[in-house]
Amino acid sequence: MKVVGGLASVLLAKGIAQELATGHVDVAFERHPGGFPDGECYVRLLGSVMGEHVILVQTTYPDSMIVEFFLLADAIRDAGAQRITAVIPYYGYGRQDKRFLDGESVSAKTLAKHIAVDCDELLTMTFHNSDLLKTFPIPAREVSGISALGRYLKSAKVDFLLAPDDNAVRFVEEASALADTSWDYLQKKRIDSYTVQIMPKKLAVKGKTVAIVDDVISTGGTIATVTKELRSQGARRVIAACVHGLFVGNAEANLKACDDVIATDTVQSRHTKVSVAPEFAAAIRALG
Ligand code: R5P
């Protein structure tokens, strides 16, 4: 077995290789120093993958990392790999999981179709709609990233977890079992891409350290709104915890409302505090 990491996931790929005690193949991402003037991607495998089961690790965000993923998968197949497992820690385009309006593409499936050209199977993490994975053209499995957050939250001595919306209830349930805390959830209404509204609810958070647990933090609008509510109900400390930290737009300003922000390394950022390498390594061992 060999592990190959795309530019979005080099550190995580190395971490997975270390966990599996297997080889890591380096990749050159530039033909000339500074890369191509027009910004196009370049990849060259710097080691052999002939006859190997290759674990290709690459988050498909931002867009250029999708192109790079396809170049890598194609190069690995051409170099004689016998099996390719795509590990997509954060599945960019996963949130469009159905056709809301006529003429739209179901982008999560569009991506899967193209991944299936060179890859034999797919592992991804804390996916927006896990049922959709069953419709992908290759076997696809969701690995939970919540366990990594749960480990961290337990050591951070958090005493209450909160799901900001219905969708996050399954994440908070899992995290609370690991961190050994009580939990609750809110109902959220999305007004637009930047604004959300939460329904009034009395929460048992007075004097407590509360972590808001979500799959994704994007603009931080959800976190800012929920943090304001928690402060008004007497929470002592508020921690924002997510698996996938995108932190776009005004996210940094919005997150100032919190005492701490925790994200995993599915997307590398200054808030990355926990690695999901052990979770992926366990899932790869279980592949058979
Ligand atoms: C929505 O279903 C997701 O779970 C997150 O709550 C959402 O993506 C967060 O977005 P933002 O940070 O922009 O409020």
Side-chain angles (χ1 to χ4, degrees), residues 28-37 40 42:
F29 296 106
E30 287 176 355
R31 178 82 172 86
H32 306 288
F36 291 130
E40 287 186 353
Y42 169 87

Side-chain angles (χ1 to χ4, degrees), residues 59-130:
T59 269
T60 51
Y61 172 85
D63 285 6
S64 58
M65 295 299 102
I66 299 173
V67 176
E68 197 193 89
F69 175 91
F70 294 141
L71 300 185
L72 278 168
D74 185 51
I76 291 166
R77 189 58 84 191
D78 279 356
Q82 157 261 325
R83 173 178 174 188
I84 305 178
T85 303
V87 169
I88 304 195
Y90 171 64
Y91 193 102
Y93 286 89
R95 282 179 286 179
Q96 174 99 24
D97 58 351
K98 57 177 168 246
R99 189 166 284 118
F100 297 94
L101 298 170
D102 282 351
E104 288 180 346
S105 90
V106 182
S107 62
K109 281 186 82 169
T110 310
L111 215 59
K113 244 194 255 178
H114 293 279
I115 291 165
V117 170
D118 281 307
C119 298
D120 300 294
E121 67 218 325
L122 164 69
L123 297 177
T124 187
M125 182 158 274
T126 309
F127 190 71
H128 190 64
N129 174 354
S130 44

Side-chain angles (χ1 to χ4, degrees), residues 61-62 90 95 193-194 216-221 245-255 267:
Y61 172 85
Y90 171 64
R95 282 179 286 179
S193 296
Y194 302 91
V216 181
I217 296 179
S218 179
T219 67
L246 305 181
F247 308 122
V248 299
N250 281 336
E252 290 304 332
N254 283 333
L255 293 170
V267 181

Side-chain angles (χ1 to χ4, degrees), residues 2 9 27 42 54 63 80 84 96 99 103-104 128 145-146 152 157 171 188 204 208 219 228 260 284:
K2 290 277 170 66
S9 305
V27 176
Y42 169 87
V54 175
D63 285 6
I84 305 178
Q96 174 99 24
R99 189 166 284 118
E104 288 180 346
H128 190 64
I146 296 294
Y152 187 98
K157 304 212 179 328
F171 309 133
K188 176 177 97 178
K208 291 188 178 162
T219 67
K228 199 168 157 207
D260 198 6
I284 292 162

Side-chain angles (χ1 to χ4, degrees), residues 195-211:
T195 325
V196 297
Q197 210 175 54
I198 49 170
M199 304 308 132
K201 184 173 185 182
K202 182 83 190 104
L203 300 162
V205 295
K206 199 168 170 47
K208 291 188 178 162
T209 295
V210 183

